[in-house]
Amino acid sequence: MFRYYPLTFVAVVATAIVCLIPIAEPPLGDVPFMDKWTHMVLFGGIASVTLFELAMNRRLQTVWRWVAPTLAALYGGLIEVLQGSCTTTRSGDWYDFLADAFGVLVCAPIAYLICRKISRKENRIS
């Protein structure tokens, strides 16, 4: 997997690290809903990067275009369970999971359309 999807692998591992390390106080804690925005960006980013790599590997038009964003959202649920059960400074939150899923729901279609347009141009050139 790492050979064909290195950015996805890095995004998944980096997200796990960011979400599971203990923090004393969140940065930019005075910004309303900053935690939810962060979750939306992280998991929407995972879905977008995965779709980009699917396009680069010429697999964008397969069933994986639906499976990859779904797995990104489910990964958000897994992270929330791990935060609630494996950390002492974090808590699993259903609203965070909804933010994860909403980030995927917003970012994945946009990324898909961009990747599809790029892959069509690439197919015309080669």
Side-chain angles (χ1 to χ4, degrees):
M1 178 187 149
F2 183 75
R3 180 177 175 192
Y4 297 106
Y5 302 98
L7 296 176
T8 300
F9 181 77
V10 169
V12 166
V13 171
T15 299
I17 291 170
V18 167
C19 290
L20 296 175
I21 60 171
I23 56 170
E25 186 175 321
L28 300 174
D30 56 341
V31 176
F33 304 110
M34 188 60 189
D35 180 48
K36 306 307 177 240
W37 287 109
T38 303
H39 279 269
M40 288 172 54
V41 168
L42 285 173
F43 292 92
I46 289 174
S48 299
V49 166
T50 305
L51 288 171
F52 171 76
E53 289 190 323
L54 284 170
M56 293 302 109
N57 290 313
R58 302 187 187 276
R59 292 192 173 110
L60 188 62
Q61 299 304 323
T62 64
V63 71
W64 283 102
R65 72 176 178 228
W66 301 105
V67 173
T70 303
L71 290 175
L74 291 174
Y75 182 61
L78 175 66
I79 290 292
E80 292 307 315
V81 169
L82 291 174
Q83 281 182 338
S85 61
C86 297
T87 64
T88 57
T89 58
R90 302 285 186 110
S91 64
D93 184 9
W94 279 103
Y95 292 116
D96 284 346
F97 174 62
L98 290 176
D100 302 340
F102 187 72
V104 170
L105 190 65
V106 168
C107 293
I110 296 168
Y112 173 75
L113 292 173
I114 292 170
C115 291
R116 195 174 80 178
K117 189 163 186 79
I118 290 170
S119 65
R120 281 186 181 168
K121 282 183 182 178
E122 189 177 284
N123 288 340
R124 270 190 263 147
I125 293 170
S126 47

